[in-house]
Amino acid sequence: MSRFLILIATAGSAALLLGAFGFQYLGEMPPCKLCIWQRYPHGAAILIGVLALMVPMVILPYLGALAALATAGIGAYHSGVELGWWEGPNSCTSGPIGNLSGEDLMQQIMSAPLVRCDDVPWELFSLSMASWNAIASLFLAVLWVAAANHMRKNRI
């Protein structure tokens, strides 16, 4: 049972990562900085999952859960940036322009990134890709923890 849960959690991270690459390369939606940050924990979860399938150590599913929670946290943060609840990194969002001179405004435009973190290029049921990643990753974290608990219970 724990191997099956690990396999599903690993495949889930792989599917989310492949989906992100699909949007980028097939859908021609280049990622912003926060989108890229959400990919790294999925990559880590995939590596942890492969290792956990080869070496049944109870710590590995917990590490997989931490990776899933990390990407969920980044996704939730990114969702808040998109909704304007808080500011994102200066390198990928726009600040207020009311008090800027024409020259300062031009400087801000010229130094702005090509892909902004506070724009939503795609959504489904009013949720952005970052929001869906956060939700799916929380589900994957639950699978990882269930696998770890099953291993502990059965002393695998």
Side-chain angles (χ1 to χ4, degrees):
M1 178 64 161
S2 58
R3 286 182 56 82
F4 178 72
L5 292 171
I6 290 168
L7 182 62
I8 296 298
T10 303
S13 277
L16 289 170
L17 195 53
L18 285 173
F21 285 124
F23 275 103
Q24 179 177 351
Y25 293 109
L26 301 176
E28 298 181 2
M29 292 184 208
C32 70
K33 178 186 271 188
L34 291 175
C35 293
I36 300 273
W37 289 359
Q38 292 173 73
R39 295 176 183 190
Y40 295 124
H42 281 302
I46 293 166
L47 292 175
I48 291 166
V50 169
L51 184 60
L53 290 169
M54 294 187 308
V55 182
M57 296 172 52
V58 74
I59 190 69
L60 293 174
Y62 285 123
L63 291 175
L66 283 176
L69 289 173
T71 193
I74 298 167
Y77 171 72
H78 190 182
S79 296
V81 170
E82 291 171 336
L83 293 167
W85 292 348
W86 45 74
E87 287 188 29
N90 290 336
S91 60
C92 67
T93 56
S94 176
I97 60 170
N99 295 330
L100 295 178
S101 69
E103 186 176 316
D104 290 339
L105 183 57
M106 189 59 157
Q107 178 64 27
Q108 184 178 2
I109 291 170
M110 295 308 289
S111 66
L114 295 175
V115 182
R116 292 178 31 155
C117 296
D118 53 356
D119 284 339
V120 179
W122 180 90
E123 62 181 36
L124 178 65
F125 305 121
S126 298
L127 295 175
S128 68
M129 284 187 274
S131 300
W132 283 112
N133 180 56
I135 293 166
S137 297
L138 286 174
F139 176 73
L140 294 177
V142 169
L143 292 178
W144 282 110
V145 170
N149 288 341
H150 185 267
M151 289 175 80
R152 280 188 31 218
K153 181 180 172 185
N154 294 313
R155 298 195 189 256
I156 295 176

